[in-house]
């Protein structure tokens, strides 16, 4: 197992994947290493309206994903709540279905005050209301031994039509590979916001990097793209960044990705911040960045819709027959360990 961050593929295949409980016929997509969500089939459903008309809702599915809740008081509890909410939404949003329900477990450290938790929870409520998500169950308590930033977990559900589901293993030869926002968004926005006092960079660069904070959500990216055209697969580029996401997507679909960094958008402050922390921006966590594959006839429509929504995006390559990911002709492997974890630990110790 890796010392920090998500478990690697070998550990997953040996210790997790063989032990998944009972097999059920309604499971459409189960756990796989590097896959963001699972799917359950509900079958064909109908809805009776107030006028007694029956509307055929077609085949319905539930996409669901579980993630830890991370609260960093140093961000301020409103920003910490915003980030925590969007992290737990992002994995299910890449299903292409609108998130609909949320179950939350808070295991809080004893020192959190009622007012601080209220700020976090009101932020969850505000963001959920804007997204149309209902909180349906949960658990909230203080416990001795709990500590920041890991204070619980959440499961997000998206209920929708099976025909609208974007599978994580759906990339096909001939598809375009697109990316939004570019590399290192979270690394820059998060680390610079937290450790500004330790950073020796021009003030303008620091402010540019700090402005990346509210770019750290791929939820709008995913929903806009899925609504605009034939999106075949999506993956948020969290741990191990864009390179990690590309490898996981290609591996899931058993295809080859031929890509280039040249046209990928790079937001202000990112490269400077990553250079300061001695982090490869292409292999570091970049919550907020979406990697997606799109049928060629939909590429222009998806890029146009993202642009209209104010989301920087570009085509970075093509899906082909074969296997692996090739950047400018050279094969890359999965980074396995995200470099930002060690940097975060080192600077947290300084504080």
């Amino acid at each position: 197992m890796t010392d920090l961050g998500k478990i690697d593929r070998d550990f997953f295949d040996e210790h997790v994947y063989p032990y998944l409980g009972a097999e059920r016929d309604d499971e459409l997509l189960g756990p796989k290493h590097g896959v963001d969500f699972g799917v359950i089939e509900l079958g064909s459903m109908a809805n009776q309206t107030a006028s007694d008309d029956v509307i055929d809702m077609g085949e319905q599915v539930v996409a669901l994903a579980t993630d830890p809740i991370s609260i960093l008081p140093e961000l301020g509890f409103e920003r910490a709540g915003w980030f925590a909410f969007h992290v737990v939404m992002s994995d299910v949003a890449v299903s292409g279905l609108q998130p609909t329900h949320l179950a939350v477990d808070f295991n809080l450290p004893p020192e959190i005050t009622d007012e601080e938790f209220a700020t976090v929870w009101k932020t969850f409520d505000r963001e959920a209301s804007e997204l149309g998500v209902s909180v349906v169950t949960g658990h909230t308590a203080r416990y001795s031994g709990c500590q920041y930033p890991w204070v619980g977990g959440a499961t997000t559900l998206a209920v929708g039509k099976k025909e609208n589901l974007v599978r994580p293993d759906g990339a096909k030869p001939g598809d375009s590979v697109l990316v939004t926002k570019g590399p290192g968004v979270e690394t820059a926005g998060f680390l610079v916001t937290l450790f500004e006092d330790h950073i020796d960079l021009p003030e303008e660069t620091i402010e540019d990097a700090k402005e990346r904070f509210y770019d750290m959500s791929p939820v709008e990216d995913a929903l806009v793209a899925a609504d605009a055209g034939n999106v075949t697969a999506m993956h948020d580029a969290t741990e191990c960044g864009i390179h990690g996401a590309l490898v996981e997507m290609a591996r899931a679909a058993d295809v080859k990705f031929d890509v280039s960094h040249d046209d990928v958008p790079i937001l202000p402050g990112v490269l400077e911040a990553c250079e300061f922390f001695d982090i490869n921006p292409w292999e570091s966590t970049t919550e907020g960045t979406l990697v997606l594959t799109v049928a060629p006839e939909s590429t222009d429509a998806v890029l146009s819709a993202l642009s209209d929504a104010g989301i920087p995006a570009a085509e970075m390559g093509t899906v082909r027959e074969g296997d692996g990911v090739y950047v400018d002709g050279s094969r890359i492997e999965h980074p396995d360990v995200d470099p930002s974890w060690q940097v975060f630990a080192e600077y947290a110790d300084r504080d």
Side-chain angles (χ1 to χ4, degrees):
M1 183 188 295
T2 50
D3 292 334
L4 294 172
K6 293 180 182 178
I7 60 174
D8 57 40
R9 186 183 184 187
D10 290 341
F11 186 92
F12 176 86
D13 288 343
E14 181 178 355
H15 297 289
V16 178
Y17 189 73
Y19 311 107
L20 298 176
E23 294 185 8
R24 292 184 55 91
D25 293 338
D26 56 359
E27 183 180 296
L28 182 62
L29 178 67
K32 294 182 180 179
H33 188 262
V35 170
D36 293 316
F37 59 90
V39 183
I40 298 169
E41 291 186 283
L42 298 180
S44 183
M45 299 184 68
N47 182 39
Q48 187 165 346
T49 67
S51 62
D52 293 329
D53 294 328
V54 176
I55 299 175
D56 183 7
M57 298 171 63
E59 293 288 323
Q60 297 284 297
V61 296
V62 179
L64 62 162
T66 298
D67 276 293
I69 293 177
S70 170
I71 297 293
L72 278 161
E74 295 86 351
L75 294 172
F77 284 91
E78 190 277 335
R79 285 195 300 184
W82 181 91
F83 181 67
F85 176 85
H86 282 272
V87 166
V88 301
M89 286 292 131
S90 61
D91 276 357
V92 83
V94 298
S95 71
L97 303 178
Q98 177 77 35
T100 53
H101 302 87
L102 177 64
V104 188
D105 169 35
F106 283 102
N107 301 321
L108 302 167
E111 63 266 30
I112 190 170
T113 69
D114 292 358
E115 292 74 17
E116 289 166 346
F117 176 73
T119 298
V120 171
W121 190 240
K122 287 176 182 176
T123 303
F124 265 62
D125 169 67
R126 182 192 71 210
E127 297 299 311
S129 297
E130 290 181 2
L131 199 56
V133 172
S134 174
V135 178
V136 292
T137 189
H139 173 90
T140 305
R142 292 186 180 96
Y143 292 114
S144 177
C146 294
Q147 60 183 10
Y148 297 117
W150 308 111
V151 298
T155 296
T156 311
L157 287 75
V159 182
K161 293 183 178 181
K162 185 177 180 179
E163 64 189 56
N164 295 333
L165 176 69
V166 178
R167 289 182 59 101
D169 54 359
K172 299 177 180 61
D175 287 348
S176 302
V177 182
L178 311 186
V179 64
T180 70
K181 296 174 184 167
V185 172
E186 180 184 355
T187 298
F190 201 67
L191 292 179
V192 173
T193 298
L194 281 176
F195 305 120
E196 179 179 358
D197 293 343
H198 298 287
I199 296 173
D200 183 18
L201 286 171
E203 186 62 31
E204 182 180 355
T205 301
I206 290 175
E207 290 305 312
D208 283 342
K210 287 166 62 178
E211 287 182 9
R212 305 285 70 79
F213 186 87
Y214 285 106
D215 291 322
M216 294 192 302
S217 172
V219 175
E220 183 183 10
D221 309 33
L223 298 179
V224 167
D227 190 53
N230 184 10
V231 176
T232 56
M234 294 191 284
H235 196 0
D236 60 334
T238 50
E239 290 190 43
C240 296
I242 289 177
H243 281 185
L246 289 167
V247 172
E248 290 169 2
M249 291 177 73
R251 191 161 56 198
D254 195 22
V255 292
K256 175 184 177 182
F257 282 13
D258 269 331
V259 299
S260 173
H261 292 164
D262 291 346
D263 294 324
V264 175
I266 297 183
L267 300 186
V270 167
L271 293 185
E272 296 90 340
C274 289
E275 183 178 0
F276 176 84
F277 290 114
D278 194 24
I279 288 176
N280 182 340
W282 299 95
E283 297 184 353
S284 66
T285 183
T286 181
E287 176 74 31
T289 293
L290 182 71
V291 180
L292 59 160
T293 57
V294 180
E297 68 273 11
S298 291
T299 300
D300 289 344
V302 171
L303 286 172
S304 178
L306 290 166
S307 177
D308 290 346
I311 300 169
E315 183 177 357
M316 69 178 303
T318 303
V319 181
R320 304 190 189 280
E321 297 279 359
D323 68 273
V325 175
Y326 291 78
V327 178
D328 297 321
S330 297
R331 181 164 180 151
I332 63 168
E333 302 299 333
H334 198 287
D336 286 332
V337 178
D338 192 301
S340 66
W341 281 110
Q342 188 60 44
V343 171
F344 177 84
E346 290 174 2
Y347 277 80
D349 286 344
R350 294 186 190 186
D351 278 351

